[in-house]
Coordinates of all heavy atoms in Angstrom, one line a residue:
L957 N 17.1 1.4 4.1 CA 18.4 0.9 4.6 C 19.6 1.7 4.2 O 20.6 1.8 4.9 CB 18.5 -0.6 4.1 CG 17.7 -1.6 4.8 CD1 17.6 -2.9 4.0 CD2 18.2 -1.9 6.2
L958 N 19.5 2.4 3.1 CA 20.5 3.3 2.7 C 20.6 4.5 3.6 O 21.7 5.1 3.8 CB 20.3 3.8 1.2 CG 20.6 2.7 0.2 CD1 20.2 3.3 -1.2 CD2 22.1 2.3 0.1
K959 N 19.5 4.8 4.2 CA 19.4 5.9 5.2 C 19.9 5.5 6.6 O 20.7 6.3 7.2 CB 18.0 6.4 5.3 CG 17.8 7.6 6.3 CD 18.5 8.9 5.9 CE 18.1 10.0 6.8 NZ 18.8 11.2 6.5
F960 N 19.6 4.3 7.0 CA 19.9 3.9 8.3 C 20.9 2.8 8.4 O 21.3 2.3 9.5 CB 18.6 3.4 9.1 CG 17.6 4.5 9.2 CD1 16.5 4.6 8.4 CD2 17.7 5.5 10.2 CE1 15.5 5.6 8.5 CE2 16.8 6.5 10.4 CZ 15.7 6.5 9.5
D961 N 21.4 2.4 7.3 CA 22.5 1.3 7.1 C 22.0 -0.1 7.5 O 22.2 -1.0 6.7 CB 23.7 1.7 8.0 CG 24.4 3.0 7.5 OD1 24.4 3.2 6.3 OD2 25.0 3.7 8.3
T962 N 21.5 -0.2 8.7 CA 21.0 -1.6 9.1 C 19.7 -1.5 9.8 O 19.3 -0.4 10.3 CB 22.0 -2.3 10.0 OG1 22.1 -1.5 11.3 CG2 23.4 -2.4 9.4
I963 N 19.0 -2.6 9.8 CA 17.8 -2.8 10.6 C 18.0 -3.9 11.6 O 18.1 -5.0 11.3 CB 16.5 -3.1 9.8 CG1 16.2 -2.0 8.8 CG2 15.3 -3.4 10.7 CD1 15.0 -2.4 7.9
K964 N 18.2 -3.5 12.9 CA 18.5 -4.4 14.0 C 19.7 -5.4 13.6 O 19.7 -6.6 13.8 CB 17.3 -5.3 14.2 CG 16.1 -4.5 14.9 CD 16.4 -4.3 16.4 CE 15.1 -3.7 17.0 NZ 15.3 -3.5 18.5
G965 N 20.7 -4.8 13.0 CA 21.9 -5.5 12.6 C 21.9 -6.2 11.3 O 22.8 -6.9 10.9
W966 N 20.8 -6.1 10.5 CA 20.7 -6.7 9.2 C 20.9 -5.6 8.1 O 20.2 -4.6 8.1 CB 19.3 -7.3 9.0 CG 19.1 -8.5 9.8 CD1 19.1 -8.6 11.2 CD2 18.9 -9.9 9.3 NE1 18.9 -9.9 11.6 CE2 18.8 -10.7 10.5 CE3 18.8 -10.4 8.1 CZ2 18.6 -12.1 10.4 CZ3 18.6 -11.8 8.0 CH2 18.5 -12.6 9.1
N967 N 21.8 -5.8 7.2 CA 22.1 -4.8 6.2 C 21.3 -5.0 5.0 O 20.4 -5.9 4.9 CB 23.6 -4.8 5.9 CG 24.1 -6.1 5.2 OD1 23.3 -6.7 4.5 ND2 25.3 -6.5 5.5
L968 N 21.5 -4.1 4.0 CA 20.7 -4.1 2.8 C 20.7 -5.5 2.1 O 19.6 -6.0 1.6 CB 21.1 -3.0 1.8 CG 20.5 -3.0 0.4 CD1 19.0 -2.8 0.6 CD2 21.1 -1.9 -0.4
Y969 N 21.9 -6.1 1.9 CA 22.0 -7.3 1.2 C 21.3 -8.5 1.9 O 20.7 -9.4 1.3 CB 23.4 -7.7 0.9 CG 24.1 -6.6 0.1 CD1 25.3 -5.9 0.6 CD2 23.7 -6.3 -1.2 CE1 25.9 -5.0 -0.2 CE2 24.3 -5.3 -1.9 CZ 25.4 -4.6 -1.4 OH 26.0 -3.7 -2.2
E970 N 21.4 -8.5 3.2 CA 20.7 -9.6 4.0 C 19.2 -9.4 4.0 O 18.5 -10.4 3.8 CB 21.2 -9.5 5.5 CG 22.7 -9.9 5.6 CD 23.3 -9.5 6.9 OE1 22.7 -8.6 7.6 OE2 24.3 -10.1 7.3
V971 N 18.7 -8.2 4.1 CA 17.3 -8.0 3.9 C 16.8 -8.3 2.5 O 15.8 -8.8 2.3 CB 16.9 -6.6 4.3 CG1 15.4 -6.3 4.1 CG2 17.2 -6.3 5.8
G972 N 17.7 -7.9 1.5 CA 17.4 -8.2 0.1 C 17.2 -9.7 -0.1 O 16.4 -10.1 -0.9
Y973 N 18.0 -10.5 0.6 CA 17.9 -12.0 0.5 C 16.5 -12.4 1.0 O 15.8 -13.2 0.4 CB 19.0 -12.7 1.3 CG 18.8 -14.2 1.4 CD1 19.3 -15.0 0.4 CD2 18.2 -14.7 2.5 CE1 19.1 -16.4 0.5 CE2 18.1 -16.1 2.6 CZ 18.5 -16.9 1.6 OH 18.4 -18.3 1.7
L974 N 16.1 -11.9 2.2 CA 14.8 -12.3 2.7 C 13.7 -11.8 1.7 O 12.7 -12.6 1.5 CB 14.6 -11.6 4.1 CG 15.5 -11.9 5.2 CD1 15.2 -11.1 6.4 CD2 15.6 -13.4 5.5
Y975 N 13.8 -10.6 1.2 CA 12.8 -10.1 0.3 C 12.7 -11.0 -1.0 O 11.6 -11.3 -1.4 CB 13.1 -8.6 -0.1 CG 12.3 -8.1 -1.2 CD1 11.1 -7.5 -1.0 CD2 12.8 -8.2 -2.5 CE1 10.3 -7.1 -2.0 CE2 12.0 -7.7 -3.6 CZ 10.8 -7.1 -3.3 OH 10.0 -6.7 -4.4
A976 N 13.9 -11.3 -1.5 CA 13.9 -12.0 -2.8 C 13.2 -13.4 -2.6 O 12.4 -13.8 -3.5 CB 15.3 -12.2 -3.3
I977 N 13.6 -14.1 -1.6 CA 13.0 -15.5 -1.4 C 11.5 -15.3 -1.2 O 10.7 -16.1 -1.7 CB 13.6 -16.1 -0.1 CG1 15.1 -16.4 -0.4 CG2 12.9 -17.5 0.1 CD1 15.4 -17.3 -1.5
S978 N 11.0 -14.3 -0.4 CA 9.6 -14.2 -0.1 C 8.8 -13.9 -1.4 O 7.8 -14.4 -1.7 CB 9.4 -13.0 0.9 OG 10.0 -13.4 2.1
M979 N 9.4 -13.0 -2.2 CA 8.7 -12.6 -3.5 C 8.7 -13.8 -4.5 O 7.7 -14.0 -5.2 CB 9.4 -11.4 -4.1 CG 9.2 -10.1 -3.3 SD 7.4 -9.7 -3.1 CE 7.2 -10.2 -1.4
M980 N 9.8 -14.6 -4.5 CA 9.9 -15.7 -5.4 C 8.8 -16.7 -5.1 O 8.1 -17.3 -6.0 CB 11.3 -16.3 -5.4 CG 12.3 -15.4 -6.1 SD 14.0 -15.9 -5.7 CE 14.1 -17.4 -6.8
V981 N 8.7 -17.1 -3.8 CA 7.7 -18.1 -3.4 C 6.3 -17.6 -3.6 O 5.4 -18.4 -4.0 CB 7.9 -18.6 -2.0 CG1 9.3 -19.2 -1.9 CG2 7.7 -17.5 -1.0
L982 N 6.0 -16.3 -3.3 CA 4.7 -15.8 -3.6 C 4.3 -15.8 -5.0 O 3.2 -16.1 -5.4 CB 4.6 -14.3 -3.0 CG 3.3 -13.6 -3.3 CD1 2.1 -14.3 -2.6 CD2 3.3 -12.2 -2.8
S983 N 5.3 -15.4 -5.9 CA 5.1 -15.4 -7.3 C 4.8 -16.8 -7.9 O 3.9 -17.0 -8.7 CB 6.2 -14.8 -8.1 OG 6.4 -13.4 -7.7
L984 N 5.6 -17.8 -7.4 CA 5.3 -19.2 -7.8 C 3.9 -19.6 -7.4 O 3.2 -20.3 -8.2 CB 6.4 -20.1 -7.2 CG 7.7 -20.2 -7.9 CD1 8.6 -21.2 -7.2 CD2 7.5 -20.7 -9.4
Y985 N 3.5 -19.3 -6.2 CA 2.2 -19.7 -5.7 C 1.1 -19.0 -6.6 O 0.2 -19.7 -7.0 CB 2.0 -19.2 -4.3 CG 0.6 -19.1 -3.8 CD1 -0.2 -20.3 -3.6 CD2 0.0 -17.9 -3.5 CE1 -1.5 -20.2 -3.2 CE2 -1.3 -17.8 -3.1 CZ -2.1 -19.0 -3.0 OH -3.4 -18.9 -2.6
R986 N 1.3 -17.7 -6.9 CA 0.3 -17.1 -7.7 C 0.3 -17.6 -9.2 O -0.8 -17.6 -9.8 CB 0.5 -15.6 -7.7 CG 0.3 -14.8 -6.4 CD -1.2 -14.9 -6.0 NE -2.1 -14.5 -7.1 CZ -2.4 -13.2 -7.4 NH1 -1.9 -12.2 -6.7 NH2 -3.3 -12.9 -8.3
T987 N 1.4 -18.0 -9.6 CA 1.5 -18.6 -11.0 C 0.9 -19.9 -11.1 O 0.1 -20.2 -12.0 CB 3.0 -18.7 -11.4 OG1 3.6 -17.4 -11.4 CG2 3.1 -19.3 -12.8
L988 N 1.2 -20.8 -10.2 CA 0.8 -22.2 -10.3 C -0.6 -22.5 -9.6 O -1.3 -23.5 -9.9 CB 1.8 -23.1 -9.6 CG 3.2 -23.1 -10.3 CD1 4.2 -23.9 -9.5 CD2 3.2 -23.5 -11.7
C989 N -0.9 -21.7 -8.6 CA -2.1 -22.0 -7.8 C -3.1 -20.8 -7.7 O -3.7 -20.6 -6.7 CB -1.7 -22.4 -6.4 SG -0.4 -23.6 -6.3
N990 N -3.2 -20.1 -8.8 CA -4.0 -18.9 -8.8 C -5.5 -19.2 -8.6 O -6.3 -18.4 -8.0 CB -3.9 -18.1 -10.1 CG -4.5 -16.7 -9.9 OD1 -4.1 -15.9 -9.1 ND2 -5.5 -16.4 -10.7
E991 N -6.0 -20.4 -9.0 CA -7.4 -20.7 -8.8 C -7.7 -20.9 -7.3 O -8.8 -20.7 -6.9 CB -7.7 -22.0 -9.6 CG -7.6 -21.8 -11.1 CD -8.5 -20.6 -11.7 OE1 -9.7 -20.6 -11.5 OE2 -7.9 -19.7 -12.2
I992 N -6.7 -21.4 -6.6 CA -6.9 -21.5 -5.1 C -7.0 -20.1 -4.6 O -7.8 -19.8 -3.7 CB -5.7 -22.3 -4.5 CG1 -5.7 -23.7 -5.0 CG2 -5.8 -22.2 -3.0 CD1 -6.8 -24.5 -4.6
H993 N -6.1 -19.2 -5.0 CA -6.0 -17.8 -4.5 C -7.3 -17.1 -4.8 O -7.8 -16.3 -4.0 CB -4.8 -17.1 -5.2 CG -4.6 -15.8 -4.6 ND1 -4.0 -15.6 -3.3 CD2 -4.8 -14.5 -5.0 CE1 -3.9 -14.3 -3.1 NE2 -4.4 -13.6 -4.1
A994 N -7.9 -17.4 -6.0 CA -9.2 -16.7 -6.4 C -10.4 -17.6 -6.2 O -11.3 -17.5 -7.0 CB -9.0 -16.3 -7.9
F995 N -10.3 -18.4 -5.2 CA -11.4 -19.5 -5.0 C -12.7 -18.8 -4.7 O -13.8 -19.5 -5.0 CB -11.0 -20.4 -3.8 CG -11.9 -21.5 -3.6 CD1 -12.0 -22.5 -4.6 CD2 -12.7 -21.6 -2.5 CE1 -12.8 -23.6 -4.4 CE2 -13.6 -22.7 -2.3 CZ -13.6 -23.7 -3.3
E996 N -12.8 -17.6 -4.3 CA -14.1 -17.0 -4.0 C -15.1 -17.0 -5.2 O -16.3 -17.2 -5.0 CB -13.8 -15.5 -3.6 CG -15.1 -14.7 -3.4 CD -14.8 -13.3 -3.0 OE1 -14.1 -13.1 -1.9 OE2 -15.2 -12.3 -3.7
K997 N -14.6 -16.9 -6.4 CA -15.5 -16.9 -7.5 C -16.2 -18.3 -7.7 O -17.3 -18.3 -8.2 CB -14.7 -16.6 -8.8 CG -13.7 -17.7 -9.3 CD -13.0 -17.3 -10.5 CE -12.0 -18.4 -11.0 NZ -11.3 -18.0 -12.2
Y998 N -15.6 -19.3 -7.2 CA -16.2 -20.6 -7.3 C -17.4 -20.8 -6.3 O -18.4 -21.4 -6.7 CB -15.2 -21.8 -7.0 CG -14.2 -21.9 -8.2 CD1 -13.0 -21.2 -8.1 CD2 -14.5 -22.7 -9.3 CE1 -12.1 -21.3 -9.1 CE2 -13.5 -22.8 -10.3 CZ -12.4 -22.1 -10.2 OH -11.4 -22.2 -11.2
T999 N -17.3 -20.2 -5.2 CA -18.4 -20.3 -4.2 C -19.4 -19.2 -4.4 O -20.6 -19.5 -4.1 CB -17.8 -20.2 -2.8 OG1 -17.0 -19.0 -2.7 CG2 -17.0 -21.4 -2.4
V1000 N -19.0 -18.1 -4.9 CA -20.0 -17.0 -5.2 C -20.9 -17.3 -6.4 O -22.1 -17.2 -6.4 CB -19.3 -15.6 -5.4 CG1 -20.3 -14.6 -5.9 CG2 -18.6 -15.2 -4.1
Q1001 N -20.2 -17.8 -7.5 CA -20.9 -18.0 -8.8 C -21.4 -19.5 -8.9 O -22.0 -19.8 -9.9 CB -20.0 -17.7 -9.9 CG -19.5 -16.2 -9.9 CD -18.5 -15.9 -11.0 OE1 -18.2 -16.7 -11.9 NE2 -17.8 -14.7 -10.8
G1002 N -21.1 -20.3 -8.0 CA -21.6 -21.7 -8.1 C -20.7 -22.6 -9.0 O -21.1 -23.7 -9.2
E1003 N -19.6 -22.1 -9.4 CA -18.7 -22.9 -10.3 C -18.2 -24.2 -9.6 O -17.8 -25.2 -10.2 CB -17.6 -22.1 -10.8 CG -18.0 -21.0 -11.8 CD -16.8 -20.2 -12.3 OE1 -15.8 -20.8 -12.5 OE2 -17.0 -19.0 -12.7
F1004 N -18.1 -24.1 -8.2 CA -17.5 -25.3 -7.5 C -18.4 -26.5 -7.7 O -18.0 -27.6 -7.6 CB -17.3 -24.9 -6.1 CG -16.5 -26.0 -5.4 CD1 -15.1 -26.1 -5.7 CD2 -17.0 -26.7 -4.3 CE1 -14.4 -27.1 -5.0 CE2 -16.2 -27.7 -3.7 CZ -14.9 -27.9 -4.0

């Protein structure tokens, strides 16, 4: 964005807002629900 100023009319701060919200919700999901995210181990190893 520093090179091209905007992406389809969205500047660095506006894209930064989108990025920040997306990363925050992904991090909360991985923090609180990691066993869902890593559910494969339950079906592979029979832990379920």
Side-chain angles (χ1 to χ4, degrees):
L957 284 166
L958 288 173
K959 177 68 175 179
F960 297 102
D961 294 329
T962 64
I963 297 180
K964 291 284 189 177
W966 290 64
N967 64 33
L968 173 61
Y969 298 122
E970 292 164 338
V971 175
Y973 172 85
L974 300 180
Y975 169 86
I977 297 296
S978 297
M979 290 303 103
M980 289 168 72
V981 299
L982 177 62
S983 295
L984 277 182
Y985 162 69
R986 291 296 310 277
T987 299
L988 301 175
C989 310
N990 191 64
E991 297 303 299
I992 297 294
H993 190 74
F995 186 67
E996 177 180 298
K997 67 181 181 181
Y998 289 92
T999 51
V1000 171
Q1001 300 173 12
E1003 294 183 28
F1004 193 65

